[in-house]
Amino acid sequence: METPLFIRRLAIPLALALCAIQAPGFAQTFPSRPVTLVVPFPPGGGTDTGGRVIAEQLGRRWGQPVIVENKGGAAGQIGADFVAKSRPDGYTLLLGNIGTQAINPLLYPKLPYDADKAFAPVSLVAELPLAMMVNPSVPAKTAAEFIALAKARPGQMSYSSSGAGGAPHLAAEMFKDQTGAFILHVPYRGGGPAIADLLAGHVQLSFMTVLEASGHIKAGKLRALAVTGDKRVPAFPEVPTLAESVAPGFNAISWIGLLAPAGTPPEVVEKIAADLRVVLADESVKARFVGLGGVPRATSPQEFARLIDDDKRRYAQIIRSRKITIE
C-alpha cells in the first residue's frame, strides 16, 4: 500500500528536525570511537611532526585513539581529496598546511575537489617559521657568504624543497629574487625526502620549517644560516633573520591547521576547536612546539578561515610576479 502524500511531505522536515535535536547531543558525546587524522604528506616532514604532537594529546583528552594516517602525493592533493570525500562526522580530519589550503588552489587549474567548499576550517595549530639550511660541507657560515658562493658558482648550487609550489619553494624563489643568487630547484614529495638528500649532500641548500629540521640542526648535521620570518626563532635565538642580514623586509612563514570535511556539524567543529585550544594551552605542549621551532597558536574556525583567505591573496601576488607554474 502506497504511503499517503501528506505523510511523505511531512517525513523530510520531521527528519531534519530530529537531526537538529540530536546534533548537540552528538557533539557532547564526540568522539565515541577512534578518530583518523590524515597528514597529506610522507612521514618526517613538519606537517607530520606537528600532527603527531596534537594527535597524542587530543587522544588523551578524548579517551579515544587519534590515528595519524599519512597519505602523501600530488603536493598534498591525495590526502586532502580523501578527507574532502570522507563522511562529514568529525571522525576523519585533515592536517592541512599553507600549501594544501592557500597555495595549491592558485597553482593547480583543476583540483579533484573544490578547495573553497570542500572543507570546514577548525583551527590553526601552529605557525612554522622556515630556516635557510645548508649541508655542513658547504663552505658558508652566513647567508651573505652563501649568496657570494652561489654567484661565484652559477648553476652549480641546488636546493631541495618539499614540493613545487609549496611554501618552502616560494620562500626560496623570493630569496633568489631579492638577492640575485641563481640556485637550481630540486622538488621532492614531502619534507622528509627533501631533508634526506640535503643530509646526504646531494643538494646544498634547503628552505624548510624549523620544526622538521631542528633535530638535525641541533645535532650539527645541518647548518642554519637564517630564518625567514620577521622575528628570530626562540629555539635558535642565535640564528638571524634574512630581513636583518641580507634581505630587508623578507618575511615568509608556513603553518599547519586542522580541517574537517564540509558538512561536518558546526557543534562538532566547535568542540574539536575548543579541545584543541585546551591542548595547545598546555605548557608541556607549548614547550614541545617551541623546542622544535614552531609557534603553537589556536584560533576559532572563523579566524582560521580568514587566515586561509588572506594567504591566498598574498601568495597569488607572489606566484603571478614570479610566473610560477606547475609542470
Side-chain angles (χ1 to χ4, degrees), residues 4-14:
L5 179 62
F6 78 94
I7 294 178
R8 282 185 279 144
R9 286 178 174 173
L10 285 173
I12 293 176
L14 180 60

Side-chain angles (χ1 to χ4, degrees), residues 111-122:
L111 293 171
Y113 49 86
D114 187 329
D116 293 325
K117 299 178 181 178
F119 304 102
V122 176

Side-chain angles (χ1 to χ4, degrees), residues 5-75:
L5 179 62
F6 78 94
I7 294 178
R8 282 185 279 144
R9 286 178 174 173
L10 285 173
I12 293 176
L14 180 60
L16 292 174
L18 287 172
C19 288
I21 293 171
Q22 291 173 356
F26 176 63
Q28 290 172 6
T29 59
F30 175 89
S32 58
R33 54 187 171 85
V35 174
T36 298
L37 178 60
V38 174
V39 174
F41 300 100
T47 304
D48 178 69
T49 303
R52 292 179 187 278
V53 172
I54 64 165
E56 176 186 351
Q57 297 301 319
L58 284 173
R60 289 180 179 176
R61 180 167 179 81
W62 287 339
Q64 293 288 345
V66 178
I67 303 165
V68 176
E69 188 170 335
N70 295 91
K71 288 185 176 293

Side-chain angles (χ1 to χ4, degrees), residues 3-4 115 130 145 151 211 262 317:
T3 303
L130 304 175
E145 289 179 1
K151 289 181 176 180
L211 180 63
Q317 295 176 351

